[in-house]
């Protein structure tokens, strides 16, 4: 069971990284296995940006299937809700290739993609998160940005930081 969760976390983190990389660099190389030294010379970029987004969404689908709900795993680790939220964000970003002329010229493969399908997926994912008893809005929105708001029901994925100069030394 822990191996399945660890694989889900790995896919979530890889999808998170690729979701940042594709926005900055576009067609990035897609690594679905450990690259051996004899493969270094043959690494190529993805053929389209849509291929990168499809890769990200496939990783997130695997993560959603294997990750536990918030509260069923240590605080700060990836959860099913975090993977659903990231996938919703990725789908929303994909719609930019349909609506934005600069982005659509950069990625013409989105010409045949139906934006309504992407928005439906965003709706379904976010509705599932909102329906979960693990998430809710705080009575005072300002608490989200305070120490009291850490790891509360309004956060989907809290990254944990060490606030001790003896540990971080910077």
């Amino acid at each position: 069971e822990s191996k399945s969760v660890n694989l889900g976390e790995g896919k979530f983190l890889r999808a998170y990284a690729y979701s940042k990389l594709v926005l900055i660099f576009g067609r990035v190389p897609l690594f679905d296995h450990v690259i051996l030294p004899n493969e270094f010379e043959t690494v190529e970029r993805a053929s389209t940006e849509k291929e990168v987004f499809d890769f990200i969404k496939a990783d997130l689908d695997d993560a959603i299937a294997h990750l536990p709900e918030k509260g069923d795993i240590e605080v700060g680790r990836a959860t099913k809700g975090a993977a659903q939220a990231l996938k919703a964000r990725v789908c929303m970003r994909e719609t930019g290739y349909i609506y934005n002329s600069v982005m659509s010229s950069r990625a013409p493969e989105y010409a045949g993609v139906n934006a309504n399908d992407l928005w439906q997926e965003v709706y379904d994912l976010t509705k599932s998160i909102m329906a979960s008893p693990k998430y809710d809005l705080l009575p005072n929105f300002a608490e989200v940005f305070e120490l009291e708001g850490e790891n509360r029901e309004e956060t989907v994925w809290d990254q944990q930081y060490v606030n001790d100069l003896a540990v971080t030394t910077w």
Side-chain angles (χ1 to χ4, degrees), residues 9-125:
E9 287 176 313
K11 291 202 175 191
F12 171 81
L13 292 172
R14 180 169 68 182
Y16 180 79
Y18 271 115
S19 74
K20 303 292 185 186
L21 290 170
V22 70
L23 295 177
I24 298 168
F25 300 108
R27 299 178 305 111
V28 294
L30 297 176
F31 297 109
D32 61 357
H33 65 282
V34 176
I35 303 299
L36 301 174
N38 64 341
E39 296 176 283
F40 288 167
E41 298 290 325
T42 62
V43 172
E44 294 183 13
R45 296 171 74 169
S47 58
T48 65
E49 289 185 37
K50 186 174 183 323
E51 183 182 356
V52 179
F53 278 101
D54 290 344
F55 185 79
I56 293 167
K57 291 190 295 186
D59 268 356
L60 289 170
D61 286 338
D62 284 347
I64 290 166
H66 294 99
L67 289 174
E69 295 283 345
K70 180 178 182 174
D72 297 339
I73 194 167
E74 294 89 4
V75 170
R77 292 181 63 183
T79 63
K80 178 179 180 175
Q84 289 171 316
L86 180 57
K87 186 173 180 190
R89 178 186 288 179
V90 166
C91 290
M92 282 192 291
R93 287 185 174 156
E94 270 190 298
T95 64
Y97 291 93
I98 298 166
Y99 297 126
N100 184 309
S101 61
V102 173
M103 291 178 74
S104 64
S105 65
R106 186 174 109 176
E109 65 271 13
Y110 278 94
V113 174
N114 185 348
N116 291 335
D117 292 341
L118 289 170
W119 284 117
Q120 185 62 50
E121 188 155 15
V122 171
Y123 175 79
D124 293 341
L125 289 163

Side-chain angles (χ1 to χ4, degrees), residues 74-77 150-151 155 157-163:
E74 294 89 4
V75 170
R77 292 181 63 183
E150 291 290 312
N151 306 312
T155 58
W157 183 44
D158 268 342
Q159 298 173 19
Q160 306 301 298
Y161 295 95
V162 175
N163 192 18

